[in-house]
Amino acid sequence: MEKEFLKIEKEALEAINLVADRASFNEVRNTYLSKKGVLSDLMSKMKTLSQEKRPLYGQLVNNLRSKINEALEVKNELLEAKELEEQLKKDKIDLTLPSMSKNSAGLNPFFVIKDEMEEIFISMGYEIADGPEIEEDHYNFELLNIPKDHPARDMQDSFYFSETMLLRTHTSPVQARVMQDKKGESIKIICPGKAYRRDNDDLTHSHQFAQVEGLVIDKNITLGNLKATLDLFVKKMFGEKRKTRFRASYFSFTEPSVEVDISCSECDGAGCLTCKGTGWIEILGAGMVNENVLRMNGYDPSIYQGFAFGIGIERVAMLRYGIDDIRRIYQNDIRFLEQFRAR
Ligand code: FA5
C-alpha cells in the first residue's frame, strides 16, 4: 500500500515540477485535488478496506495531500513572481516622455489680471516701480502722514518683526520711496505688489493680497485727471457695461480721497453674499496727494500736485471672472485653474 502511495506522490511532484504556466498549474491541481481528482478517488476507496487497515490508509492519504499542497504552494509563489515580472515588463513607463494627458491648468487668474493691469497702465505711459514687502514703519505710515497713534493705523494692523519693521499693509510706501528717489522730477509710475494685513479672511478679504499702486506727480494735476484715468482703467478692464461708483473717503495721504466700487458681477448689483448685499464691490482707494506728503518727500505743493491710487488685484480678478470667494485664488485647485486655461 505504501509503495503505491509513494508512486502517486512521485508522479504528482514531477507533474508539479513541470508546471510552467497558470493553465498547467490549474490542470495539475485539478487532477489531484478536485472533487473528482486522484485524492478524492483514494479517499472513496477507504470504505472498501477492513477496519484495521483504515487508519494507516487515512494517514497515507493525508500525508500525500499535504505534500501535494506544499509543492503546489511553492510553485504558485514562483508563478506569481514570474507573472509580476512579466506584468512589470509590459507596463514599463518612461517618465521622461511628455505627458499624454491634456490635464494642465491655466495661468492663475491673479496673474492674468496683474499682467493686464500692467499693460493698461503702460499703454497710458506709466513706468513700473518696485519696493520692499518688509517695510519700515517710517515709509509704511510716517511719510504717508500717518504718525504714531493716528487712528488710521487701526484700519491697517500688520505683522511686525520689530517696533519699526513690518510687512507692508499697502503698496503706498512705494509712493514715498519713488518721490524721495526722483526729488523734483515728474513721476508717473505703477507698483504692483503684495500687501499684508491682520484682516480676518472672508469672501473678499485675505491677510495677504496684492495691489497696484499708482502715482502721478506733475504740474497742473487735478482730480479730473484722476477720475479720467480711473474711468479709462475701468472701461478697459471691465467693458462699458459694468457700473462704477466714486465715494468720498478718507486716507491720511490723500486729500480729497475717494473709494471706487464696481457693480458686483455675481448678482449684477442686486445684492448677494459676495458683495454683502450692497450690490457693489470696492476695488480701489485713491485721491490727490496730500500736501504734507508732497512736502515730507521733497516736493513743493505750490508747484507740484499729484494723484495716487491703490487697486486690489484679486478684487479686480473676482469682478472680471465672477469669482465668488477670494480664497479660491490662493488654493491652486486644478478644477478652478482649468477654467482659465484658454485665457
Ligand atoms: C489702501 O490700501 C490705500 N493705500 C489705497 C490708496 C492708494 C489710497 C493711494 C489713496 C492713494 P484700502 O485699504 O482701501 O486702501 O485698500 C485698497 C484696495 O485694496 C481695496 O479697495 C481692496 O481692493 C484691496 N484690499 C484691501 N484690503 C484687502 C484685503 N484684506 N484682501 C483683499 N483685498 C484687499
Side-chain angles (χ1 to χ4, degrees):
M1 196 157 56
E2 276 116 326
K3 262 193 188 162
E4 200 182 321
F5 272 93
L6 278 176
K7 189 173 157 250
I8 299 172
E9 182 185 320
K10 196 170 163 241
E11 280 167 8
L13 296 184
E14 268 171 18
I16 293 169
N17 199 27
L18 287 176
V19 161
D21 56 30
R22 191 52 67 184
S24 52
F25 175 87
N26 290 337
E27 208 181 300
V28 175
R29 192 181 52 190
N30 288 342
T31 306
Y32 289 93
L33 301 178
S34 70
K35 269 189 191 163
K36 290 182 183 158
V38 174
L39 281 153
S40 290
D41 199 33
L42 288 172
M43 272 312 262
S44 66
K45 283 183 185 147
M46 178 103 102
K47 53 184 181 283
T48 64
L49 299 177
S50 63
Q51 286 293 347
E52 306 90 73
K53 285 188 176 166
R54 282 186 191 182
L56 175 65
Y57 187 84
Q59 210 182 347
L60 288 171
V61 175
N62 282 339
N63 278 348
L64 180 60
R65 187 191 303 279
S66 25
K67 291 246 169 77
I68 291 175
N69 266 330
E70 256 171 50
L72 281 172
E73 227 167 85
V74 171
K75 183 53 91 175
N76 186 42
E77 273 170 27
L78 288 173
L79 275 182
E80 273 179 357
K82 194 174 147 217
E83 282 160 1
L84 180 67
E85 202 178 316
E86 278 165 10
Q87 189 66 30
L88 286 175
K89 262 191 210 150
K90 243 198 276 166
D91 291 351
K92 213 172 179 183
I93 299 170
D94 184 350
L95 293 173
T96 60
L97 286 175
S99 162
M100 300 280 284
S101 116
K102 295 207 166 56
N103 197 13
S104 63
L107 208 54
N108 190 303
F110 172 86
F111 291 106
V112 178
I113 291 298
K114 176 179 166 280
D115 290 351
E116 229 174 275
M117 287 172 80
E118 285 178 9
E119 274 166 32
I120 291 174
F121 284 108
I122 287 170
S123 77
M124 291 190 224
Y126 285 74
E127 280 173 23
I128 296 191
D130 201 8
E133 285 172 32
I134 298 174
E135 188 51 287
E136 294 172 38
D137 183 288
H138 189 58
Y139 284 98
N140 196 79
F141 293 125
E142 303 266 336
L143 289 174
L144 295 174
N145 209 25
I146 313 175
K148 290 226 159 23
D149 303 322
H150 191 287
R153 288 198 180 211
D154 290 348
M155 294 194 302
Q156 294 193 11
D157 194 7
S158 181
F159 302 89
Y160 283 83
F161 295 93
S162 66
E163 278 273 304
T164 54
M165 297 301 287
L166 64 147
L167 284 175
R168 69 180 176 193
T169 56
H170 47 179
T171 42
S172 296
V174 176
Q175 288 185 35
R177 287 185 174 275
V178 175
M179 279 189 251
Q180 296 200 348
D181 253 18
K182 296 222 170 182
K183 234 165 225 163
E185 289 172 39
S186 51
I187 296 173
K188 195 171 181 185
I189 58 104
I190 55 162
C191 167
K194 285 184 199 143
Y196 306 82
R197 281 185 205 174
R198 213 185 141 277
D199 274 352
N200 286 328
D201 292 359
D202 63 18
L203 294 177
T204 53
H205 290 84
S206 165
H207 58 280
Q208 179 193 312
F209 56 101
Q211 296 179 329
V212 170
E213 190 76 14
L215 176 68
V216 172
I217 301 219
D218 214 329
K219 293 169 187 159
N220 302 318
I221 298 288
T222 68
L223 190 64
N225 298 122
L226 168 63
K227 201 155 179 282
T229 303
L230 293 178
D231 264 338
L232 185 57
F233 164 71
V234 168
K235 285 205 170 79
K236 285 197 175 196
M237 182 53 77
F238 298 104
E240 304 281 333
K241 223 176 112 206
R242 192 65 57 73
K243 291 189 216 83
T244 312
R245 178 169 85 169
F246 284 76
R247 267 183 299 117
S249 185
Y250 173 81
F251 296 104
S252 312
F253 37 100
T254 47
E255 179 62 40
S257 303
V258 291
E259 263 168 329
V260 178
D261 304 331
I262 308 277
S263 57
C264 177
S265 60
E266 267 296 292
C267 61
D268 208 17
C272 67
L273 264 182
T274 305
C275 60
K276 299 194 177 88
T278 63
W280 298 92
I281 293 187
E282 179 201 311
I283 58 159
L284 67 93
M288 298 304 292
V289 180
N290 188 304
E291 292 191 0
N292 280 344
V293 174
L294 284 171
R295 237 178 264 114
M296 271 192 283
N297 290 291
Y299 283 79
D300 179 351
S302 65
I303 304 170
Y304 285 97
Q305 302 79 43
F307 66 76
F309 52 84
I311 312 173
I313 301 181
E314 290 89 340
R315 298 270 180 94
V316 172
M318 289 176 78
L319 281 157
R320 242 306 268 285
Y321 297 130
I323 299 168
D324 59 346
D325 187 334
I326 195 169
R327 288 164 289 201
R328 295 194 198 287
I329 293 174
Y330 313 114
Q331 283 161 346
N332 268 342
D333 185 333
I334 201 149
R335 291 166 302 179
F336 173 71
L337 296 176
E338 264 174 351
Q339 298 171 48
F340 301 92
R341 194 189 298 137
R343 294 174 208 277

Short mmCIF file of all heavy atoms in Angstrom, two decimals, residues 178-187 217-219 294-295 297-300 303-305:
data_model
loop_
_atom_site.label_atom_id
_atom_site.label_comp_id
_atom_site.label_asym_id
_atom_site.label_seq_id
_atom_site.Cartn_x
_atom_site.Cartn_y
_atom_site.Cartn_z
N VAL A 178 9.58 106.41 -4.15
CA VAL A 178 9.80 106.95 -5.50
C VAL A 178 9.98 108.48 -5.44
O VAL A 178 10.86 109.05 -6.08
CB VAL A 178 8.64 106.56 -6.45
CG1 VAL A 178 8.80 107.23 -7.81
CG2 VAL A 178 8.61 105.05 -6.63
N MET A 179 9.15 109.16 -4.62
CA MET A 179 9.28 110.62 -4.50
C MET A 179 10.67 111.00 -4.00
O MET A 179 11.28 111.93 -4.50
CB MET A 179 8.21 111.18 -3.54
CG MET A 179 6.85 111.37 -4.19
SD MET A 179 5.74 112.26 -3.10
CE MET A 179 4.63 110.99 -2.64
N GLN A 180 11.17 110.24 -3.02
CA GLN A 180 12.49 110.56 -2.49
C GLN A 180 13.59 110.30 -3.52
O GLN A 180 14.58 111.00 -3.57
CB GLN A 180 12.74 109.75 -1.22
CG GLN A 180 11.75 110.14 -0.14
CD GLN A 180 12.20 109.76 1.25
OE1 GLN A 180 13.15 109.02 1.41
NE2 GLN A 180 11.50 110.27 2.25
N ASP A 181 13.36 109.29 -4.34
CA ASP A 181 14.31 108.97 -5.40
C ASP A 181 14.35 110.05 -6.47
O ASP A 181 15.40 110.42 -6.97
CB ASP A 181 13.84 107.68 -6.11
CG ASP A 181 14.69 106.51 -5.76
OD1 ASP A 181 15.40 106.61 -4.74
OD2 ASP A 181 14.62 105.49 -6.47
N LYS A 182 13.15 110.49 -6.87
CA LYS A 182 13.05 111.36 -8.06
C LYS A 182 12.94 112.83 -7.70
O LYS A 182 12.55 113.63 -8.56
CB LYS A 182 11.80 110.95 -8.85
CG LYS A 182 11.88 109.56 -9.40
CD LYS A 182 11.36 109.49 -10.81
CE LYS A 182 11.66 108.15 -11.42
NZ LYS A 182 11.24 108.04 -12.78
N LYS A 183 13.24 113.16 -6.49
CA LYS A 183 13.11 114.53 -5.98
C LYS A 183 13.06 115.58 -7.09
O LYS A 183 14.02 115.75 -7.84
CB LYS A 183 14.30 114.83 -5.07
CG LYS A 183 13.83 115.30 -3.72
CD LYS A 183 14.96 115.26 -2.73
CE LYS A 183 14.42 114.63 -1.46
NZ LYS A 183 15.32 114.15 -0.54
N GLY A 184 11.91 116.27 -7.18
CA GLY A 184 11.86 117.38 -8.13
C GLY A 184 11.43 117.01 -9.53
O GLY A 184 10.99 117.86 -10.29
N GLU A 185 11.54 115.74 -9.89
CA GLU A 185 11.13 115.37 -11.26
C GLU A 185 9.67 114.94 -11.26
O GLU A 185 9.14 114.52 -10.24
CB GLU A 185 11.95 114.17 -11.74
CG GLU A 185 13.39 114.47 -12.04
CD GLU A 185 14.14 113.17 -12.31
OE1 GLU A 185 13.58 112.26 -12.96
OE2 GLU A 185 15.28 113.05 -11.83
N SER A 186 9.06 115.01 -12.45
CA SER A 186 7.68 114.50 -12.51
C SER A 186 7.71 112.96 -12.45
O SER A 186 8.71 112.33 -12.81
CB SER A 186 6.97 115.00 -13.76
OG SER A 186 7.75 114.74 -14.89
N ILE A 187 6.58 112.42 -11.99
CA ILE A 187 6.52 110.97 -11.73
C ILE A 187 5.25 110.41 -12.38
O ILE A 187 4.18 111.05 -12.31
CB ILE A 187 6.45 110.70 -10.21
CG1 ILE A 187 7.73 111.17 -9.51
CG2 ILE A 187 6.19 109.23 -9.92
CD1 ILE A 187 7.67 111.10 -7.99
N ILE A 217 2.86 112.62 -10.41
CA ILE A 217 3.19 113.94 -9.86
C ILE A 217 3.69 114.81 -11.00
O ILE A 217 4.55 114.40 -11.78
CB ILE A 217 4.27 113.83 -8.76
CG1 ILE A 217 3.75 112.94 -7.66
CG2 ILE A 217 4.65 115.24 -8.26
CD1 ILE A 217 4.04 113.29 -6.28
N ASP A 218 3.08 115.96 -11.09
CA ASP A 218 3.48 116.90 -12.15
C ASP A 218 2.86 118.26 -11.83
O ASP A 218 2.21 118.42 -10.79
CB ASP A 218 2.98 116.38 -13.52
CG ASP A 218 3.96 116.74 -14.63
OD1 ASP A 218 4.64 117.79 -14.52
OD2 ASP A 218 4.06 115.95 -15.59
N LYS A 219 3.04 119.17 -12.77
CA LYS A 219 2.40 120.48 -12.57
C LYS A 219 0.98 120.39 -13.14
O LYS A 219 0.75 119.67 -14.11
CB LYS A 219 3.21 121.56 -13.27
CG LYS A 219 4.58 121.76 -12.60
CD LYS A 219 5.49 122.63 -13.43
CE LYS A 219 6.86 122.62 -12.76
NZ LYS A 219 7.93 123.00 -13.68
N LEU A 294 3.60 115.53 0.00
CA LEU A 294 4.49 116.13 -1.01
C LEU A 294 5.67 116.79 -0.32
O LEU A 294 6.83 116.55 -0.66
CB LEU A 294 3.72 117.18 -1.84
CG LEU A 294 2.74 116.62 -2.88
CD1 LEU A 294 1.89 117.74 -3.48
CD2 LEU A 294 3.49 115.89 -4.00
N ARG A 295 5.36 117.58 0.69
CA ARG A 295 6.41 118.34 1.38
C ARG A 295 7.40 117.38 2.05
O ARG A 295 8.62 117.52 1.90
CB ARG A 295 5.77 119.26 2.43
CG ARG A 295 6.13 120.73 2.21
CD ARG A 295 5.47 121.64 3.22
NE ARG A 295 4.23 122.22 2.69
CZ ARG A 295 3.01 121.98 3.14
NH1 ARG A 295 2.81 121.15 4.15
NH2 ARG A 295 1.97 122.56 2.60
N ASN A 297 8.25 114.56 1.34
CA ASN A 297 9.05 113.75 0.42
C ASN A 297 9.76 114.59 -0.65
O ASN A 297 10.16 114.07 -1.69
CB ASN A 297 8.17 112.67 -0.22
CG ASN A 297 7.78 111.62 0.80
OD1 ASN A 297 8.61 110.85 1.26
ND2 ASN A 297 6.52 111.63 1.19
N GLY A 298 9.87 115.91 -0.36
CA GLY A 298 10.75 116.74 -1.21
C GLY A 298 10.09 117.46 -2.37
O GLY A 298 10.79 117.89 -3.29
N TYR A 299 8.78 117.60 -2.36
CA TYR A 299 8.10 118.33 -3.45
C TYR A 299 7.40 119.57 -2.88
O TYR A 299 6.81 119.51 -1.80
CB TYR A 299 7.07 117.44 -4.15
CG TYR A 299 7.71 116.45 -5.10
CD1 TYR A 299 8.31 115.28 -4.61
CD2 TYR A 299 7.75 116.68 -6.47
CE1 TYR A 299 8.91 114.38 -5.46
CE2 TYR A 299 8.36 115.78 -7.33
CZ TYR A 299 8.94 114.63 -6.83
OH TYR A 299 9.55 113.74 -7.68
N ASP A 300 7.45 120.67 -3.62
CA ASP A 300 6.80 121.90 -3.20
C ASP A 300 5.36 121.89 -3.73
O ASP A 300 5.14 121.95 -4.94
CB ASP A 300 7.60 123.10 -3.78
CG ASP A 300 6.96 124.44 -3.41
OD1 ASP A 300 5.83 124.43 -2.86
OD2 ASP A 300 7.60 125.47 -3.68
N ILE A 303 4.01 124.15 -6.44
CA ILE A 303 4.41 123.92 -7.84
C ILE A 303 3.86 122.56 -8.35
O ILE A 303 3.36 122.45 -9.44
CB ILE A 303 5.96 123.90 -7.97
CG1 ILE A 303 6.54 125.20 -7.42
CG2 ILE A 303 6.38 123.68 -9.42
CD1 ILE A 303 8.04 125.20 -7.28
N TYR A 304 3.98 121.55 -7.47
CA TYR A 304 3.61 120.20 -7.90
C TYR A 304 2.32 119.72 -7.23
O TYR A 304 2.08 119.98 -6.05
CB TYR A 304 4.72 119.21 -7.54
CG TYR A 304 5.91 119.31 -8.45
CD1 TYR A 304 7.03 120.05 -8.08
CD2 TYR A 304 5.92 118.66 -9.69
CE1 TYR A 304 8.13 120.14 -8.92
CE2 TYR A 304 7.01 118.75 -10.53
CZ TYR A 304 8.11 119.49 -10.15
OH TYR A 304 9.18 119.57 -10.99
N GLN A 305 1.53 119.05 -8.03
CA GLN A 305 0.38 118.34 -7.46
C GLN A 305 0.46 116.88 -7.95
O GLN A 305 1.25 116.58 -8.84
CB GLN A 305 -0.97 118.91 -7.95
CG GLN A 305 -1.19 120.39 -7.65
CD GLN A 305 -0.44 121.25 -8.66
OE1 GLN A 305 -0.45 120.97 -9.85
NE2 GLN A 305 0.21 122.30 -8.15
#
